Amino acid sequence: MERRTLIKTFAASLLASAVLAGPAMAEGTIKIGASAPKTGPLAGGAAVTYWPAVQLWVNDVNERGGIDVGGEKMKVELIEYDDRTSNEEAIKNIQRMATVDKVDFIIPPYGTGINLATAPLIAKYGYPHIAVTAVADGIEGFTERWPNSFWTLGTSEAMASSLVDVLTKMREAGQINEKVAVVNVADAFGIELANTGKPKLKEAGFDIVYETSYPLQQQDFAPIISGAKDAGPDTFIAFSYPGDTFGLTKQATITDLPVKAYYVGVATAFPAFAQANGAAANGVMGVGGVNAASEAYQDFAKREVEVTGVAPDYWASPVQYASLEVLEQAITKAGSLDKAAVIEALGSETFETIMGEWKFEDNIIKKFWTVGQWQDGVFHGIASTGVGGEFEPIVKSGWN
Amino acid sequence: MSLMNEKEQRIAAIALMLFGAAAMIPFADDGYYLSLCVNIVMYAVLCTAWTLFSGPTHYISLATAAFFGIGTYSVGLGIDTLPFPLLVAIAAVASGVLAGLVGVATLRLSGVYFVIFTLGLAELVRQVVTWLQVKFLGSVGLYVFTDMTEKHIFWMLLALAAVVYITGWLVNRSRLGFALRIIGNDETVARHVGIDVARAKVILFMISGAFIGITGAILAPRFAYVEPPSAFNPVISFQVVIMALLGGTGRLWAPLLGVIPFTILFDRISASFPNHTSLLIGVAFMAIVYFLPRGVMGLIDDFRARHAKSRHAAAGVPEAAE
């Protein structure tokens, strides 16, 4: 008997708290919904790139007194959901935000797959979809399919060809020879980069002396690094994901891989990369980058640590923040919360962001960072598609 | 001589009404509640298909993600060239065949060995698919762009649910179902009375796998972008086992008792406490396992038994006489 009472009490209290905990509404606020992973495989990345930028932006806007909508200052109320890195959850969350919470705007999810899975719904409800952490080739097709969608982080095609340009310049300057080792993770982004990168390398006169791919979640990188070492290249390129970016670099340090240019993929731009590798990080190149020397970025980084306690990365974090600045300015320029008017403003106006001036061309930001490099504890952008402010690449000299 | 006795006819009529009512849901709401219902029906089909095999045999299979992914990929690979219904059929055949091969190879394993093998299977299939795609297609993501919306997917899943229930009912009253119940109770006895144990298990595993594959195929258009991590998501395998066991596996409709309340409960938790979802779901699981060791079905059985007893008592039947 006692047990049953206990169950009932437990169930009732759980349900009651679940039902009562709905957010309180205030007049004159803009409701903005965000759904992204707080748990699951992508939660680690979202905890660095997505959530802190969102929190900082909401904090900043409200500190300023709100967003100017046709002369009236309206504060932002954030409604957040965890999509558990699952498409089903993400779809349900978007539906909930659109039809139950009736939010004014949606901050799109984190990750390429989930952004694409939710894009049809976001389009159906007419919200602007400013995607950040979604990098895939074929973006032009998406903007045709979903004219409400805007893409900000770039294409894998440009990221790979930009890297080849950097290396070509280094070779012409006599800093490296023509031998390269190329490895990639057998997953979406790694494959796209390798598919573009390898032919470009050959075209540019490089000699691929070692190449291999490895499955996602590989743990042991000793065979790859020693295989590359035996081939004797000056350049090592890994189109990798976070786990292998760290694993390969650790192994390269242990093996003392004698290369003059060393490139790894996603997560090289994370502050944790420098923390984990210490002096060995110096000279490591990676995908992404930002104008880290700029006042705007440094101010953003400082405030994000102050407000959220999390240091931003040197790639997508500032872009995530910039995408929200763009949303804010588009609302102000539209002068109303009308979604169609905001989409119209997004597509036609020019915006001032921490990433510099942004103007969407056919719904795509065409000037973006492609390659960065750790130089004296900071990940500086060394190549872009015309952003400006690039640092000169340095030669990798040793691992300690 | 009739196909169904009176009780079965009554159940069939109720089921028909419930399905009819459920089919009306998209007209009432095509937003959040419809999406929630899509998730519920999806897990209802997966859990019931899982229970078809695992209920009577007591073999815990974690291969759901493998069949689901095969189904999703069948659609992803063929959507540009073949009509959707044909792709669903291909998905059923492909996952059924996979289940058959796996069944022949592994159903001699039992207990924890079978569980571990099926978990590995999902990962194996995922890696093979990735490798094939890299080798022959040059990319890993596939786009599935169709005109289907949530309501179409909901109706298709609902129809599939009906087929799964009918199949389950037919299996239960067939020789195969009887054989499986004996296998589940004591495999040695089953063998001794002349049941072809391996054949029975493989057939049912194939049926169960095919239904899971069809579910994956139907859901592919919902995801728009098919890639191995989402198609072969191991979380699906675990969630199916957990929900089915919470509902109970003794009867065909018992998993539903797990799926509906727990999908809604978890949804409420994740909506109200986005930052503590895992913690609260974990606590809820522990509480459920502790208080409902035999699932919701067990609770209902207990209640019925007590109810019957008190009726007896009221009628003045001495308890000792039972």
Side-chain angles (χ1 to χ4, degrees):
Chain A
M1 207 59 205
E2 212 171 68
R3 223 183 230 192
R4 267 191 300 139
T5 327
L6 233 156
I7 315 173
K8 276 186 201 153
T9 322
F10 175 80
S13 54
L14 201 65
L15 271 177
S17 52
V19 173
L20 292 176
M25 305 302 159
E27 281 299 308
T29 58
I30 302 178
K31 268 203 271 182
I32 295 193
S35 160
K38 285 173 189 269
T39 52
L42 291 184
V48 175
T49 303
Y50 185 92
W51 291 112
V54 170
Q55 281 160 11
L56 177 65
W57 176 72
V58 172
N59 173 78
D60 287 354
V61 167
N62 287 341
E63 231 167 44
R64 282 198 290 272
I67 298 180
D68 184 340
V69 186
E72 187 199 351
K73 286 267 186 189
M74 294 177 84
K75 290 212 172 183
V76 167
E77 180 200 325
L78 180 69
I79 298 177
E80 32 185 321
Y81 293 117
D82 176 10
D83 67 23
R84 294 190 242 152
T85 320
S86 129
N87 284 338
E88 293 103 76
E89 279 298 307
I91 288 171
K92 205 182 64 192
N93 286 347
I94 299 291
Q95 292 269 32
R96 193 206 317 262
M97 292 192 284
T99 65
V100 178
D101 301 327
K102 298 197 165 54
V103 297
D104 296 300
F105 294 98
I106 286 175
I107 303 174
Y110 177 86
T112 308
I114 298 186
N115 258 292
L116 291 174
T118 51
L121 270 179
I122 298 178
K124 177 185 159 197
Y125 292 113
Y127 288 105
H129 181 155
I130 314 174
V132 177
T133 40
V135 177
D137 289 331
I139 286 176
E140 286 82 4
F142 306 155
T143 59
E144 261 169 51
R145 184 170 289 276
W146 306 299
N148 63 316
S149 70
F150 298 85
W151 306 81
T152 55
L153 205 56
T155 60
S156 35
E157 203 269 330
M159 283 163 198
S161 51
S162 205
L163 169 66
V164 177
D165 293 343
V166 168
L167 294 174
T168 309
K169 249 189 247 159
M170 288 178 79
R171 192 190 61 205
E172 280 161 2
Q175 291 169 317
I176 54 171
N177 66 17
E178 76 292 341
K179 285 187 184 173
V180 294
V182 184
V183 305
N184 70 281
V185 61
D187 209 88
F189 192 43
I191 294 164
E192 278 189 1
L193 285 170
N195 282 348
T196 321
K198 284 184 194 171
K200 293 253 168 169
L201 281 168
K202 283 179 194 151
E203 241 171 68
F206 281 98
D207 180 15
I208 300 178
V209 290
Y210 177 80
E211 60 182 312
T212 186
S213 72
Y214 53 88
L216 199 64
Q217 289 156 346
Q218 168 127 341
Q219 301 293 329
D220 178 15
F221 295 100
I224 294 176
I225 293 293
S226 46
K229 191 178 181 179
D230 290 347
D234 264 3
T235 305
F236 178 87
I237 299 170
F239 297 118
S240 52
Y241 269 6
D244 18 318
T245 296
F246 282 78
L248 283 163
T249 308
K250 271 273 170 275
Q251 192 62 40
T253 311
I254 293 166
T255 319
D256 200 17
L257 185 70
V259 290
K260 292 174 181 143
Y262 178 90
Y263 174 97
V264 269
V266 182
T268 315
F270 280 18
F273 185 85
Q275 283 159 19
N277 292 294
N282 203 43
V284 170
M285 292 189 238
V287 67
V290 67
N291 196 347
S294 73
E295 215 172 275
Y297 177 79
Q298 287 179 353
D299 177 55
F300 157 73
K302 197 172 119 247
R303 278 184 305 115
E304 185 163 306
V305 174
E306 277 169 15
V307 173
T308 68
V310 180
D313 67 38
Y314 292 94
W315 182 25
S317 290
V319 178
Q320 183 76 54
Y321 187 86
S323 77
L324 297 167
E325 288 184 294
V326 164
L327 175 66
E328 176 186 351
Q329 290 167 31
I331 293 171
T332 302
K333 286 181 182 181
S336 80
L337 297 180
D338 180 51
K339 294 168 200 136
V342 172
I343 291 171
E344 170 69 34
L346 278 169
S348 53
E349 302 278 351
T350 306
F351 305 94
E352 286 304 322
T353 76
I354 56 164
M355 297 296 291
E357 191 175 88
W358 266 18
K359 170 123 180 72
F360 287 98
E361 296 169 49
D362 302 325
N363 290 20
I364 299 169
I365 291 296
K366 299 221 164 135
K367 289 180 183 170
F368 50 86
W369 289 95
T370 49
V371 188
Q373 185 177 41
W374 283 100
Q375 298 181 3
D376 300 321
V378 178
F379 192 74
H380 289 288
I382 58 169
S384 73
T385 55
V387 180
E390 293 87 352
F391 268 52
E392 280 301 311
I394 58 169
V395 174
K396 172 93 182 131
S397 56
W399 293 93
N400 40 50
Chain B
M1 280 316 277
S2 78
L3 192 64
M4 294 189 254
N5 64 28
E6 210 173 293
K7 189 180 163 209
E8 284 171 329
Q9 280 171 355
R10 220 172 30 231
I11 292 174
I14 293 171
L16 210 62
M17 263 157 53
L18 287 176
F19 269 103
M24 295 298 137
I25 289 174
F27 296 110
D29 179 83
D30 74 339
Y32 160 66
Y33 295 102
L34 178 61
S35 284
L36 186 64
C37 289
V38 170
N39 288 3
I40 289 177
V41 184
M42 167 189 142
Y43 276 109
V45 173
L46 290 177
C47 291
T48 312
W50 182 87
T51 310
L52 278 185
F53 171 75
S54 295
T57 60
H58 302 170
Y59 279 64
I60 303 284
S61 158
L62 288 174
T64 308
F67 304 132
F68 186 87
I70 294 275
T72 312
Y73 261 92
S74 307
V75 173
L77 287 169
I79 193 74
D80 293 330
T81 44
L82 297 171
F84 187 69
L86 185 62
L87 291 171
V88 172
I90 291 173
V93 173
S95 31
V97 167
L98 176 71
L101 292 175
V102 171
V104 168
T106 66
L107 281 174
R108 272 162 296 181
L109 299 173
S110 61
V112 72
Y113 303 104
F114 180 76
V115 180
I116 292 171
F117 178 84
T118 52
L119 177 63
L121 175 74
E123 189 58 27
L124 174 74
V125 175
R126 169 179 162 170
Q127 297 296 350
V128 169
V129 168
T130 308
W131 183 81
L132 288 174
Q133 275 193 290
V134 174
K135 207 79 187 158
F136 299 107
L137 295 177
S139 77
V140 166
L142 291 171
Y143 299 111
V144 182
F145 292 134
T146 62
D147 296 328
M148 277 178 245
T149 62
E150 292 279 278
K151 63 177 181 230
H152 300 114
I153 289 163
F154 177 77
W155 281 323
M156 284 192 286
L157 283 174
L158 204 61
L160 179 62
V163 176
V164 171
Y165 281 115
I166 293 168
T167 309
W169 178 73
L170 288 173
V171 167
N172 266 341
R173 50 189 268 149
S174 70
R175 290 163 56 102
L176 180 64
F178 186 54
L180 279 159
R181 281 195 293 279
I182 299 173
I183 294 170
N185 286 333
D186 193 325
E187 208 167 315
T188 319
V189 169
R191 213 169 279 135
H192 276 274
V193 296
I195 293 170
D196 189 342
V197 172
R199 185 176 149 268
K201 285 194 287 191
V202 170
I203 290 176
L204 212 67
F205 197 49
M206 287 175 76
I207 294 174
S208 162
F211 279 129
I212 294 169
I214 297 175
T215 316
I218 292 175
L219 280 160
R222 193 186 194 207
F223 299 156
Y225 183 66
V226 174
E227 53 178 348
S230 62
F232 296 99
N233 186 353
V235 173
I236 292 179
S237 303
F238 287 102
Q239 216 142 312
V240 163
V241 174
I242 290 165
M243 285 191 187
L245 292 181
L246 289 179
T249 55
R251 278 175 224 163
L252 193 58
W253 47 273
L256 208 56
L257 298 175
V259 172
I260 294 176
F262 296 110
T263 313
I264 294 171
L265 176 68
F266 295 161
D267 181 63
R268 290 311 316 169
I269 291 178
S270 63
S272 306
F273 308 98
N275 293 315
H276 311 286
T277 315
S278 299
L279 181 75
L280 286 171
I281 287 180
V283 170
F285 271 146
M286 287 200 288
I288 288 160
V289 172
Y290 185 75
F291 291 117
L292 302 178
R294 288 185 298 133
V296 178
M297 198 61 230
L299 198 69
I300 292 178
D301 285 344
D302 285 354
F303 179 76
R304 273 192 180 160
R306 230 183 355 254
H307 195 66
K309 214 189 246 176
S310 57
R311 238 191 351 221
H312 278 294
V317 180
E319 221 158 278
E322 286 190 43

